[in-house]
Amino acid sequence: EVVLTQSPGTLSLSPGERATLSCRASQSVSASYLAWYQQKPGRAPRLLIHGASSRATGIPDRFSGSGSGTDFTLTISRLEPEDFAVYYCQQFGSSLLTFGEGTKVEIK
Amino acid sequence: QVQLQESGPGLVKPSQTLSLTCTVSGGSINSGGYFWTWIRQHPGKGLEWIGYIFYSGSTSYNPSLKSRVSISVDTSKSQFSLKLTSVTAADTAVYYCARVRGYCSADTCYYFDSWGQGTLVTVSS
């Protein structure tokens, strides 16, 4: 079973700053099967990125994803007030789905 | 656009079976290429995948829950269901149903593209 480790656990930044979130897999993951989600309190997660780098429909271009193998990154180029939330990576492999434990992006 | 809605008891007693149903509308549960899944989130914690079912009935479960979980599908009602046996307080969580895109297009697949709003289930006597 692939374990996804996200870092940092919490990122304290100001609006307008750049956010870089990491997702590291315990073994190589197909980039085609790596996705990122945003979750706000009391809400279901929202798909941001699939296939490691493809933005979902309606997602602003300040969100971008990259990576391959065991290291993947979600970048928010300039934080907007509505971007402060928790972000999860997710992968599929060997018929199993797994999530990382999340990174909270909070207002500094 | 497909919509998913969870339903079921919000309170379950310890040692009993938690049962939830997800109703799918705006899209066919019979359409191949999608996995119908359950995920849970303990209060203040991260997301935990529970399992999924294909419309044909084939399933896959989280190894950590496999001995207690069963997911079934009723295509005639456009519903799929979760049963979790022998619950304890540790099973208290928000339970989500969701759809996973299982067919690849432009070299990307196996991501959650639609979610229900979630339902809180509390295990307590």
Side-chain angles (χ1 to χ4, degrees):
Chain A
E1 180 182 346
V2 175
V3 176
L4 299 177
T5 301
Q6 292 187 241
S7 61
T10 301
L11 201 48
S12 298
L13 295 169
S14 301
E17 289 194 295
R18 182 184 187 90
T20 303
L21 288 66
S22 172
C23 176
R24 179 161 292 178
S26 59
Q27 56 189 275
S28 186
V29 170
S30 171
S32 297
Y33 306 163
L34 193 289
W36 290 90
Y37 303 84
Q38 176 194 69
Q39 188 180 32
K40 295 182 179 179
R43 304 289 298 274
R46 177 175 73 143
L47 176 67
L48 296 176
I49 300 287
H50 56 90
S53 60
S54 298
R55 271 187 303 276
T57 302
I59 300 303
D61 61 7
R62 65 180 180 273
F63 290 92
S64 63
S66 63
S68 64
T70 60
D71 289 299
F72 297 88
T73 300
L74 174 70
T75 302
I76 311 171
S77 59
R78 295 173 312 279
L79 283 164
E80 296 287 341
E82 62 267 28
D83 299 336
F84 292 92
V86 179
Y87 294 83
Y88 296 94
C89 57
Q90 169 257 314
Q91 70 86 39
F92 175 85
S94 301
S95 299
L96 305 177
L97 291 151
T98 55
F99 290 97
E101 67 271 28
T103 290
K104 181 179 182 179
V105 179
E106 65 176 21
I107 299 177
K108 186 174 181 180
Chain B
Q1 182 173 345
V2 69
Q3 293 186 313
L4 298 92
Q5 178 67 59
E6 305 89 352
S7 59
L11 181 64
V12 181
K13 289 182 166 50
S15 80
Q16 294 192 341
T17 296
L18 180 159
S19 296
L20 294 173
T21 296
C22 182
T23 301
V24 179
S25 59
S28 175
I29 202 169
N30 277 330
S31 57
Y34 292 101
F35 300 154
W36 303 96
T37 70
W38 288 97
I39 305 98
R40 70 180 182 179
Q41 187 168 36
H42 295 102
K45 302 298 183 182
L47 301 165
E48 180 181 29
W49 169 68
I50 298 172
Y52 64 71
I53 190 165
F54 199 50
Y55 79 98
S56 62
S58 60
T59 57
S60 178
Y61 300 127
N62 185 324
S64 68
L65 296 169
K66 189 173 184 178
S67 63
R68 297 194 294 131
V69 172
S70 175
I71 298 176
S72 59
V73 64
D74 186 339
T75 55
S76 67
K77 295 182 178 178
S78 202
Q79 294 177 333
F80 63 104
S81 299
L82 169 70
K83 290 190 186 303
L84 182 66
T85 62
S86 305
V87 298
T88 69
D91 295 307
T92 294
V94 173
Y95 286 76
Y96 294 98
C97 60
R99 187 179 79 170
V100 168
R101 179 161 166 164
Y103 68 93
C104 296
S105 174
D107 202 28
T108 171
C109 42
Y110 300 119
Y111 54 87
F112 294 82
D113 66 355
S114 296
W115 295 74
Q117 65 186 24
T119 186
L120 174 63
V121 178
T122 301
V123 179
S124 175
S125 55

